[in-house]
Amino acid sequence: VFQVIQRSVGPASLSLLTFKVYASQKKDSTQKASVSVNELSLYSVPEIQSKYVEEPRTQLEESISHLRQYCKPYTSWCQEMYSQTEPKMQSLVQWGLDSYEFLQNAPPGFFPRLGVIGFAGIIGLLLARGSKIKKLVYPPSFMGLAASLYYPQQAIVFFQVSGEKLYDWSLRGYIVVEDLWKENFQKKPGNVKNSSGNK
C-alpha cells in the first residue's frame, strides 16, 4: 500500500510546482539570401530562344486551295439545294414506306381491281395510236373510268376538287387575257385618233 501511495504522491507534488521559461534570440543567426537554381553552377540551364517558322506551301497545297476557292460557290449552291429538297425527299420516302406497308397488308380484292385499272390504261394506249394528244388523254381517262367504278366516293371527291381547280385556272387565264386585250388593242384606236387629230 505504501508503494502505491508513494507513486501517486510523487507526480502530484511535481504538478504543483511552477516554472518560468524565457525564450531568447540567437545572436549568431544571420539571414542568408536564397539562391535560385540557375545561379548554381551544377544546375545552370541555358536560355532557349524559340521562334515559330511557318513552312512554305507546296505546289499541291496551293492547287488544292485554288480548287477549294473555285468550288466554293458551287458547294454553297449544292448545300442550299439539299436543304430545300431534303424535306421533299423525306416526305417522298415516307410515302413510299407507307405505300409498301399498305401493299403488304392490302385489303381483299385490291390487286384484282388494280389489274383491271391497269388493263384499262393499256386499252386506252392501244386506242390512241397515231396521235400524241390521244396518248396523253386516253390512258388516264380510261384508268379514271375504271377506278371510278370501284371507288365511286373517292372519284366524286377527286372530280369535285379537280373541277374547282380547273375553274380557278380558267378564271385566272380569262383575267390575264382580258388585261392583255385592254392593254394592246384598246390603246391603238386612241393613238390613231390622236394622230389624225394632229394632222
Side-chain angles (χ1 to χ4, degrees), residues 3-50:
Q3 289 180 355
V4 172
I5 293 170
Q6 187 180 6
R7 286 180 184 172
S8 61
V9 169
S13 62
L14 286 175
S15 65
L16 295 175
L17 295 175
T18 58
F19 298 99
K20 289 184 179 180
V21 178
Y22 296 99
S24 63
Q25 294 181 353
K26 290 183 179 180
K27 294 180 180 179
D28 297 336
S29 64
T30 57
Q31 294 181 354
K32 294 182 179 179
S34 60
V35 179
S36 63
V37 177
N38 292 331
E39 292 178 359
L40 298 174
S41 61
L42 259 170
Y43 299 102
S44 61
V45 180
E47 294 183 1
I48 300 172
Q49 295 182 353
S50 61

Side-chain angles (χ1 to χ4, degrees), residues 110-126:
F110 174 75
F111 289 109
R113 293 176 183 178
L114 187 64
V116 171
I117 294 168
F119 185 69
I122 292 171
I123 290 173
L125 190 63
L126 291 175

Side-chain angles (χ1 to χ4, degrees), residues 94-115:
Q94 187 64 37
W95 178 79
L97 292 172
D98 293 340
S99 302
Y100 178 74
E101 289 179 2
F102 177 76
L103 291 175
Q104 287 292 324
N105 302 319
F110 174 75
F111 289 109
R113 293 176 183 178
L114 187 64

